[in-house]
Amino acid sequence: MAEEKFQVIIIGAGVAGSAAAYRLAKAGREVVLIDRGDTPGRKNMTGGRLYTYALEELMPGEWSDAPLEREVTREIMMFMTREDSVSIDTTLSSQKQQSYTVLRARFDAWLASKAEEAGAMLIPGSTVDGLIIRDGKVAGIKTGDEELEADLVISAEGVNPIVAERAGLIKPVNVKDVAVGVKYVYKLPEQTINERFNTVSGKGTAMLCVGECNKGISGGAFLYTNKESISLGLVVDTHSWKESKLPLVDVAEELRQHPALGRYIEGGELVEYSAHLIPEGGYKSLPQLYSDGFLIAGDAAGMVVNRGFTVRGMDYAILSGIAAAETADQAIEAGTFTKSFLQNYETKLKKMVLKDLESFKDSHDYIAHTQHLFTTYPNLAVDMMNHLYKVDGNPAKKIPGIVKETIVGKLPYFSVLKDILKGGKSL
Amino acid sequence: MKKLTIDERLSKNRFETDDHNPHIVIDKDACKTCSHRACTYCCPAERYKWDTANDKLSFDHVGCLECGNCRLICERLNQGVPGYSWNYPIQGMGVIFREG
Ligand SMILES: Cc1cc2nc3c(=O)[nH]c(=O)nc-3n(C[C@H](O)[C@H](O)[C@H](O)COP(=O)(O)OP(=O)(O)OC[C@H]3O[C@@H](n4cnc5c(N)ncnc54)[C@H](O)[C@@H]3O)c2cc1C
Ligand code: SF4
Ligand code: SF4
């Protein structure tokens, strides 16, 4: 039986949930943050890099002690075939502290502790298994034999939002709107990482690869340098993978074996192997974001943009957490938790998160349906470089000849032109 | 680089195993009529295997990474038809990511 009633209960202490709890606690509200992990972060995984503008928005000037790994100062885009690779290596020293690599076990525990310090009540190790719904209004949550009541419930339960789905508050996630990611974390001495990536402590590299690694399926591999470890992983479209019938576990292993990637983790110690889904449907798959007594934020609401060369979900999770908290705060002030009042949440989101999601609404379709991106183009890039650098005693060719030799017969010109035009509009 | 089996990979993780309450339930006999058996090649932890000797699916919830991929690629798990259900483990049980 319910004993106490809170103002707000938040399901999930990922970045979205903890951001919302932090803001509400700062506003002096009674907020409960529940997570299924025995400590927040222990169920979570990301690539990944966090764009710090969102942290600054959440807690201006207060995140200097956040457990961030390395500031990303080097970006590598790699095309690979079975044995070879071509990379575009970019250093952007002009961009200051734009993004940092993160490991979620540490980062989420820190963010949740910030919310706790601000006055939120954290209940870890509790899986929410249902909602209390009274007269059509969400009135609390159920976990095990316990019930907790609140004026408002915020679902920040991540990419498998089964609590919200089963209560009929959102449409179920469609298999075509997700990708699956697997990741290896390799421990290596800080100095070794610095040397391998030609950098200094505190500075890091983000690398994205397409080609052989994802077997022509929409997706790609990623590599991020952390302080004393390297995150190496693979993301592939769930539905296309199902159609492909390829063994995911074996393909994930091939990733480590690829000479262009394997050399970075050589000699390191594998410390973790994880998997997680990514919502990829974007704007077109957004669920209903608010109901009587209920808001939904972050991955649970599908707020991720995948443009191929960047995946952004954590920053949108934080921003939507902030918007949910502000809406909840206003609702408490006004003493009303109706669907029509909570519509403010969407209005707030439209200024930022939803605007981006809308701008890139075609990027998922583009990426998922542009086969050449994952097969033809990586092959071409590698072939072309192969020709350019080839010295075998045969008569040398001039560059236009090489280009012609590389692409003749391999490229359906019209579809390439179409890809470029559509890509320009979608990405 | 030495190839790692899935068990070698999973052994690097920490698990708080709940032997008595599998959080994912399937009906191995009913699975015989499944046309795609996508769980056997889409699970990143290879928890589902087709046991050819007995012509039956084998499934072990221990070692599950709780990603949810099987919930989406298996229509029966997705719709929760009788004999099939997908839930997160209860009260802090299951995988514990120390890196993330
Ligand atoms: C491989 C991969 C690479 C990525 N790379 C990047 C990247 O580089 N940059 C980026 O910005 N984003 C990236 N993303 C996306 C990003 O990780 C997510 O968008 C982000 O973590 C979403 O945060 P969230 O708080 O909404 O959800 P989550 O972080 O998933 O948090 C959900 C929380 O809810 C809890 N929970 C779930 N259900 C229940 C329940 N029933 N009861 C109690 N608690 C529950 C969980 O334990 C968890 O703590 C990547 C994702 C993946 C998988
Ligand atoms: S996909 Fe589902 S129904 Fe098919 S074999 Fe696997 S668990 Fe059984
Ligand atoms: S949740 Fe993920 S790891 Fe667990 S059994 Fe399903 S697909 Fe495999």
Side-chain angles (χ1 to χ4, degrees), chain A residues 14-15 40-41 44-46 102-109 314, chain B residues 99-100:
Chain A
V15 279
N44 303 342
M45 181 269 252
T46 193
V102 284
L103 289 166
R104 296 291 296 278
R106 262 155 260 167
F107 184 77
D108 290 13
M314 287 184 280
Chain B
E99 303 290 332

Side-chain angles (χ1 to χ4, degrees), chain A residues 187-248:
Chain A
K187 205 168 159 48
L188 282 155
E190 187 168 357
Q191 203 50 42
T192 308
I193 296 174
N194 294 352
E195 280 159 18
R196 275 186 199 175
F197 289 87
N198 203 356
T199 191
V200 293
S201 295
K203 306 287 180 194
T205 300
M207 191 163 157
L208 289 152
C209 331
V210 287
E212 178 65 18
C213 53
N214 41 295
K215 304 285 173 196
I217 309 279
S218 168
F222 60 85
L223 182 152
Y224 294 95
T225 56
N226 306 309
K227 212 180 237 163
E228 293 178 305
S229 64
I230 287 176
S231 298
L232 170 67
L234 176 70
V235 174
V236 287
D237 185 70
T238 287
H239 182 252
S240 316
W241 196 268
K242 179 179 172 182
E243 310 265 280
S244 81
K245 301 204 180 294
L246 290 165
L248 183 55

Side-chain angles (χ1 to χ4, degrees), chain A residues 275, chain B residues 23-24 42-48 59-60 63-71 86:
Chain B
H23 56 288
I24 299 169
C42 291
C43 168
E46 212 173 64
R47 295 297 86 194
Y48 300 83
F59 171 70
D60 186 1
C64 165
L65 297 167
E66 298 164 31
C67 67
N69 212 32
C70 56
R71 178 179 94 94
W86 194 99

Side-chain angles (χ1 to χ4, degrees), chain A residues 12 15-16 35-36 44 46-49 104 128 157 299 311 313-314:
Chain A
V15 279
D35 198 89
R36 66 189 192 89
N44 303 342
T46 193
R49 57 149 61 159
R104 296 291 296 278
V128 173
E157 57 185 311
D299 270 15
V311 179
M314 287 184 280

Side-chain angles (χ1 to χ4, degrees), chain A residues 52-303:
Chain A
T52 45
Y53 78 93
L55 264 188
E56 180 62 19
E57 181 76 25
L58 176 67
M59 39 174 77
E62 300 274 317
W63 52 273
S64 56
D65 66 332
L68 301 170
E69 296 293 324
R70 289 176 185 248
E71 181 190 353
V72 178
T73 53
R74 183 175 172 200
E75 313 265 358
I76 301 176
M77 224 199 272
M78 187 165 98
F79 302 98
M80 55 151 80
T81 57
R82 191 176 289 277
E83 284 169 295
D84 301 324
S85 66
V86 171
S87 299
I88 302 171
D89 192 338
T90 313
T91 46
L92 294 169
S93 313
S94 58
Q95 292 180 348
K96 293 278 179 270
Q97 304 193 327
Q98 190 187 229
S99 70
Y100 282 80
T101 53
V102 284
L103 289 166
R104 296 291 296 278
R106 262 155 260 167
F107 184 77
D108 290 13
W110 170 83
L111 192 59
S113 76
K114 283 281 170 185
E116 254 190 308
E117 271 168 39
M121 180 176 160
L122 176 69
I123 308 181
S126 296
T127 306
V128 173
D129 36 43
L131 296 175
I132 306 172
I133 298 188
R134 214 170 277 137
D135 304 325
K137 176 193 175 294
V138 178
I141 61 99
K142 298 177 193 166
T143 168
D145 302 330
E146 280 183 77
E147 296 195 344
L148 286 181
E149 294 203 12
D151 291 322
L152 183 81
V153 172
I154 300 175
S155 160
E157 57 185 311
V159 62
N160 293 301
I162 53 181
V163 175
E165 277 184 12
R166 288 174 190 169
L169 295 166
I170 58 170
K171 57 180 191 237
V173 173
N174 188 314
V175 61
K176 293 196 171 153
D177 292 332
V178 288
V180 57
V182 295
K183 175 168 124 170
Y184 299 85
V185 180
Y186 269 86
K187 205 168 159 48
L188 282 155
E190 187 168 357
Q191 203 50 42
T192 308
I193 296 174
N194 294 352
E195 280 159 18
R196 275 186 199 175
F197 289 87
N198 203 356
T199 191
V200 293
S201 295
K203 306 287 180 194
T205 300
M207 191 163 157
L208 289 152
C209 331
V210 287
E212 178 65 18
C213 53
N214 41 295
K215 304 285 173 196
I217 309 279
S218 168
F222 60 85
L223 182 152
Y224 294 95
T225 56
N226 306 309
K227 212 180 237 163
E228 293 178 305
S229 64
I230 287 176
S231 298
L232 170 67
L234 176 70
V235 174
V236 287
D237 185 70
T238 287
H239 182 252
S240 316
W241 196 268
K242 179 179 172 182
E243 310 265 280
S244 81
K245 301 204 180 294
L246 290 165
L248 183 55
V249 163
D250 297 344
V251 176
E253 191 52 16
E254 277 177 31
L255 188 67
R256 280 185 342 115
Q257 309 294 337
H258 195 282
L261 290 172
R263 64 192 168 125
Y264 291 116
I265 52 166
E266 189 71 53
E269 181 200 350
L270 178 64
V271 290
E272 191 163 277
Y273 174 76
S274 54
H276 204 282
L277 298 184
I278 312 182
E280 301 227 304
Y283 194 73
K284 294 172 184 166
S285 69
L286 282 176
Q288 175 68 30
L289 299 170
Y290 52 91
S291 301
D292 288 318
F294 181 80
L295 296 172
I296 188 160
D299 270 15
M303 292 176 190

Side-chain angles (χ1 to χ4, degrees), chain A residues 242, chain B residues 25-28 30-40 48 50 57 59 70 73-77 84:
Chain A
K242 179 179 172 182
Chain B
V25 178
I26 54 158
D27 181 337
K28 290 170 194 161
C31 283
K32 282 186 183 168
T33 62
C34 173
S35 61
H36 54 69
R37 298 172 187 173
C39 58
T40 60
Y48 300 83
W50 198 263
L57 187 72
F59 171 70
C70 56
I73 52 98
C74 169
E75 297 77 10
R76 300 180 192 178
L77 275 175
Y84 293 80

